[in-house]
Amino acid sequence: MEQTYGFNHEGLTKKNRQYIVDVERHLRTAAVLPADQIKTLVDEMATEVQTAQKQNVTARQHYGKTPQQFAAEQNEVITKPKPKEASWWLRGVDGGLLVMGIMLLAVAATAFIGKSNESVTSIPISLILMSFVIGGAGMAGMQYYTLKIRDQGKKGLLKYALYAVVFVIVWMLLAFVFTAILPVNWNIVLQPPMAIILGVLVLVLKWYLKRKYNITPITRF
C-alpha cells in the first residue's frame, strides 16, 4: 500500500521525503506546536528541500541537522522564553556610558597629541558628567526615533534627523552653560592619564551592563 503524505512530495527523493516525514513525526510527538503550524512548517520544508534538491543538496545537508535536532530546534523557539527587553532608563544609562567613555578617551588622546596646547592638557569633570547625562538621554531618544523610521518611513526619518540636530545643539549649549556657572573649586580637572583609565573603566562597565540586562540596539529594520 502506497504511503500517503501530508505535504507535496512530488519530485522528492526517498531520502528527502523520509527526512521531512521524520521531522513531522517528532513535531507531532512533542506536541509543542499547534497542528496547523506544524503543517505550515512541513509545507515550507517541502518547498525548500525541492529547491535544494535541484542543486544536488539533500535535506540533511540543507538543514545541517538530524530530523530530531531540527524538530527540537523548532520547538525550542516556542518554549524558550524571550529575553526581557531593556527599559528606556537602562538604554539611557548605556548610551550615556558610551558617550562618556568615548569622550574621555578622545579628549585624552587629543591632549597627548597636542601637548604644546595648554587648553587640551586637562579635562573639566563637569564636561564629562554632562556628556553622560545629556548623551544618555540623547542616545535613548535617538533609539526611540529609530522606531519612528521603522513605523513611519520618510516621516519618521525626518523626525529622527530633526531630533539629532536639536540634540547636538542642546548638548553643546548645556555643556557650555554648566561649565561656565559651576564654581571653579567644584570643577575638578582630570589629567589625560586619569581620563584614559576612567574611559576604559566606563566602557567596561557599559559592556557589563549590556550583557547583564540584554541591552540590544534598536535598528530601523
Side-chain angles (χ1 to χ4, degrees):
M1 183 176 179
E2 185 178 354
Q3 181 179 354
T4 58
Y5 300 91
F7 56 90
N8 181 16
H9 64 283
E10 291 184 9
L12 291 175
T13 64
K14 182 178 180 180
K15 179 184 284 188
N16 285 340
R17 282 201 307 268
Q18 190 59 47
Y19 184 94
I20 299 174
V21 168
D22 290 343
V23 169
E24 183 177 16
R25 176 169 53 81
H26 287 301
L27 289 172
R28 295 193 183 281
T29 300
V32 174
L33 297 174
D36 59 336
Q37 194 168 339
I38 292 176
K39 184 179 187 314
T40 300
L41 176 61
V42 169
D43 287 341
E44 290 175 352
M45 285 185 66
T47 301
E48 291 176 2
V49 172
Q50 285 175 342
T51 302
Q53 187 175 283
K54 293 176 183 178
Q55 306 297 324
N56 295 319
V57 176
T58 66
R60 176 68 172 80
Q61 293 171 330
H62 178 68
Y63 292 109
K65 301 175 180 67
T66 65
Q68 185 174 7
Q69 289 172 333
F70 181 81
E73 185 179 80
Q74 304 310 305
N75 290 330
E76 185 181 5
V77 172
I78 300 298
T79 58
K80 187 176 181 180
K82 292 180 65 176
K84 184 179 179 181
E85 287 286 334
S87 65
W88 286 107
W89 181 84
L90 278 173
R91 290 187 183 280
V93 171
D94 178 72
L97 291 174
L98 175 64
V99 173
M100 182 167 66
I102 291 176
M103 176 168 284
L104 281 164
L105 295 178
V107 177
T110 302
F112 279 118
I113 294 173
K115 285 183 179 180
S116 60
N117 189 342
E118 188 67 24
S119 65
V120 295
T121 57
S122 60
I123 308 164
I125 198 169
S126 60
L127 184 62
I128 302 304
L129 294 176
M130 181 59 66
S131 70
F132 171 73
V133 176
I134 303 301
M139 294 292 283
M142 291 180 76
Q143 291 196 59
Y144 171 79
Y145 281 101
T146 298
L147 292 176
K148 296 295 183 184
I149 300 177
R150 193 164 63 189
D151 298 337
Q152 301 177 5
K154 291 183 178 179
K155 185 178 179 182
L157 180 59
L158 181 61
K159 290 181 179 179
Y160 178 91
L162 181 61
Y163 175 84
V165 172
V166 173
F167 160 61
V168 172
I169 294 174
V170 170
W171 184 8
M172 294 177 67
L173 286 175
L174 287 178
F176 174 77
V177 172
F178 189 73
T179 303
I181 66 176
L182 193 68
V184 177
N185 59 336
W186 289 11
N187 199 12
I188 302 171
V189 171
L190 296 176
Q191 295 303 319
M194 181 58 68
I196 290 177
I197 293 173
L198 287 177
V200 171
L201 291 176
V202 165
L203 293 178
V204 169
L205 177 60
K206 176 203 175 328
W207 173 83
Y208 170 77
L209 293 177
K210 182 182 180 69
R211 301 219 3 153
K212 180 177 177 63
Y213 295 105
N214 188 42
I215 306 175
T216 55
I218 295 175
T219 66
R220 57 176 293 187
F221 302 105

